[in-house]
């Protein structure tokens, strides 16, 4: 059965304290891995798509990487506005989401 | 570009009534749209895949007669929750594949409360 697991479930950081979020997956026929940001009461906002092991993508303070079994979302020098839930999803013939990491960044 | 508009954002209805949620692609055509349900602090669960001009494909365990999906045009899909009950209260989100390779675009979600 296809599975996506994210860790940690929740993460509290001081502003400027860099860290990484993990997304591990067990799927057959991976066609892509997506990272989304979701604010409370809102729909997910697209961040990155990764297609093959070794691929990396960056956007402002965020960097996503992909291996054959997991993906990391690295947050460098986070700011309070980065506080949100970060969702990982794998695409086989449909999107399968992890449960997310709730990130809180304090000033 | 690639905006998906979902309406309403919040709705409260009485038990036993039906509620319709609309999902529109504003600046692109979406032959396929997806409907998700999300419980508090939980992941998004795919309910069904909506295909323009044909019947929706429902995930295992999703009641077809309770969650009616219609995709009558390339820019509009609707989800109707029929004979709603309090256990149907949830956050419903639609999405569409923009076909750009930049992932699926999601609507802003609908918070349904059945009282």
């Amino acid at each position: 059965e296809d599975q996506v697991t994210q860790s940690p479930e929740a993460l509290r950081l001081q502003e400027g304290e860099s860290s990484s979020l993990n997304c591990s997956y067990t799927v057959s026929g991976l066609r892509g891995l997506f990272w989304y940001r979701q604010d409370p009461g809102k729909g997910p906002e697209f961040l990155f798509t990764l297609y093959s092991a070794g691929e990396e993508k960056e956007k402002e303070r965020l960097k996503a990487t992909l291996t054959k079994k997991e993906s990391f979302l690295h947050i460098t020098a986070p700011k309070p506005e980065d506080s949100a839930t970060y969702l990982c999803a794998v695409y086989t013939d449909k999107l399968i989401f992890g449960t997310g990491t709730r990130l809180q960044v304090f000033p | 570009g690639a905006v998906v508009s979902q309406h309403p954002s919040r709705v409260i209805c009485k038990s036993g009534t039906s509620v319709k949620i609309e999902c529109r692609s504003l600046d692109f055509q979406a032959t396929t749209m997806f409907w998700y349900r999300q419980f508090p602090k939980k992941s998004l669960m795919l309910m069904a895949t909506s295909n323009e001009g044909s019947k929706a494909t429902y995930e295992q365990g999703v009641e077809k007669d309770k969650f009616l999906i219609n995709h009558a045009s390339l820019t509009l899909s609707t989800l109707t929750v029929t004979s709603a009950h309090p256990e149907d209260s949830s956050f419903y989100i639609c999405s569409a594949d923009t076909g750009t390779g930049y992932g699926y675009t999601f609507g802003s979600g609908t918070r349904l409360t059945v009282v």
Side-chain angles (χ1 to χ4, degrees), chain B residues 44-96:
Chain B
L44 280 74
M45 291 176 48
L46 180 64
M47 298 174 64
T49 301
S50 167
N51 299 294
E52 187 268 334
S54 64
K55 291 183 179 180
T57 303
Y58 290 82
E59 294 298 303
Q60 191 173 8
V62 177
E63 298 178 60
K64 301 178 182 180
D65 295 333
K66 166 164 280 296
F67 299 101
L68 299 180
I69 291 172
N70 183 276
H71 195 157
S73 77
L74 288 172
T75 59
L76 175 64
S77 176
T78 60
L79 168 67
T80 301
V81 183
T82 63
S83 186
H85 291 284
E87 57 264 32
D88 298 324
S89 298
S90 192
F91 192 55
Y92 294 88
I93 312 174
C94 68
S95 76

Side-chain angles (χ1 to χ4, degrees), chain A residues 22-42:
Chain A
N22 177 264
C23 171
S24 62
Y25 59 90
T26 306
V27 299
S28 54
L30 178 72
R31 295 164 64 177
L33 185 142
F34 298 89
W35 281 98
Y36 289 89
R37 168 189 172 133
Q38 186 176 25
D39 293 299
K42 302 291 184 183

Side-chain angles (χ1 to χ4, degrees), chain A residues 34 36 38 41-44 46 49 51 87 91 94-95 97-99, chain B residues 36 38 41 43-44 46 59 91 93 101-104 106-109:
Chain A
F34 298 89
Y36 289 89
Q38 186 176 25
K42 302 291 184 183
F46 172 76
T49 308
Y51 291 103
L87 298 169
Y91 180 61
K94 59 186 178 183
L95 272 182
F97 280 87
T99 52
Chain B
Y36 293 84
Q38 187 176 34
K41 298 185 178 180
S43 185
L44 280 74
L46 180 64
E59 294 298 303
F91 192 55
I93 312 174
Y102 290 102
Y104 292 73
F106 285 79
S108 55

Side-chain angles (χ1 to χ4, degrees), chain A residues 56-73:
Chain A
E56 299 183 352
K57 288 192 177 174
E58 287 188 67
K59 179 181 179 181
E60 296 180 352
R61 295 178 292 281
L62 301 176
K63 179 181 177 180
T65 62
L66 180 65
T67 71
K68 289 185 177 179
K69 294 185 177 181
E70 58 190 350
S71 176
F72 291 93
L73 183 65

Side-chain angles (χ1 to χ4, degrees), chain B residues 3-6 22-26 28 33 75-77 94:
Chain B
V3 176
V4 172
S5 175
Q6 188 171 342
E22 293 189 348
C23 180
R24 295 180 183 273
S25 57
L26 296 186
F28 66 100
M33 289 186 175
T75 59
L76 175 64
S77 176
C94 68

